[in-house]
Amino acid sequence: MLFKKSQKNISVAFDIGTASVSAVLFEAPESGGALNVIKTYRKFHKIALRADAVHFSKATLSQFSAILDDIQNEHKNAMPSRFHIGLSSVFYLGKTERFYEKWPKSKIITQADIDGFIEKGKSKYFSELKRDDVILFEIVLMKTLLNGYTIERSVGKRAEEVELLVHYAATSKELYENFSTSVKNFRADATITFGTFPVNVWMIIRENIFPEHSVLLVDIGGELTEVTFVIDGAIAEVHSLPFGVLNILLRIAEAEHIEVENASALLKAYADSKLDKEVESRIRGIIKKEMKSWEEYFERVWQRANHNMMSNIHMFFFGRGALIDEMKHAITPPLLHPDLARGLQTTVISPDAFRDKFQTYSGFDGPDDFGLLSLILNIHLIK
């Protein structure tokens, strides 16, 4: 069913995860100012998924379509015209490329120079993939150095040497077209963009509280945890760990004989210290058992951080597991990595830090919705 274009500037952002699909419907005033959150949605997958993109994509497309139906049924007078789809790491391949060039004498940097580097990177990226069934959907210039100094805007500046760090991300043509077709069936004139959470979060953190030292962005999601390594202000790599809050939710649901959705509410009450002592003790016991696996998986991160000679690390936690103290404590650098533990800082990123950017804020519910928040703010930044 097709709809006439709304007079309001309504957009919707989707968080395509491996345990659930979330979305937020919001309005961005044409004249600028605070955004207005209309409603948030979350659909959990009903079955345990095998950890491959084919099975994930089938389930997520079903939940994605269900949310579109909900929006259609509930908000006929506020139909979105823009759709931004944020993909979890299982759905895309990303890489940051470094480009360096030195000329015999200084020259004025032009946009054609920058575009040439980026095009060269695209060709290299596709040649390394060795596939013709992928679509490149994200290209981000993360850092530019002229004569060794970081420059925000290089075009028009004079330099003898230039260095660029550019991030690329591609997904399967089938997945890209399936999501796009679902949106076009919903609204034929829709504007559709795709993005990745490491880049979305990097943009938000960089603009607000990004430090100079090394950074680990830890997104504790449903079935996966994404750890983004940020070195010298740019994304170096992203690691996906096969562990998330769903592991704990399934154990709670089994022990308490309840549905996963109810287990989620119970876990949140535990994090907020709102349970009676008996129930709290049971939940704590379940979490502690799961933490042993969590520690083993996260050891890979510390090994990689040590390989990259990271120091003075600032860890930013967000995602559904960010409020569970046991999860944060379990991944503190072990005794095997004393150099990494030295100077370590940790911060839980909550949407509260961005409250002044919204007129209506009640739709968000803690750090687990920071992914949605980052999508919204980036839509607003790049519109």
Side-chain angles (χ1 to χ4, degrees), residues 3-6 79-81 183-190:
F3 298 87
K4 294 181 180 179
K5 187 173 181 179
S6 171
M79 301 308 299
S81 59
V183 172
K184 290 296 184 181
N185 288 339
F186 178 80
R187 178 161 183 166
D189 63 344

Side-chain angles (χ1 to χ4, degrees), residues 310-338:
M310 298 175 72
S311 61
N312 296 319
I313 297 172
H314 195 157
M315 296 179 69
F316 291 94
F317 290 94
F318 50 98
R320 305 200 65 223
L323 287 179
I324 304 172
D325 286 336
E326 288 88 348
M327 295 191 78
K328 299 195 296 291
H329 295 158
I331 59 179
T332 300
L335 296 177
L336 293 176
H337 306 290

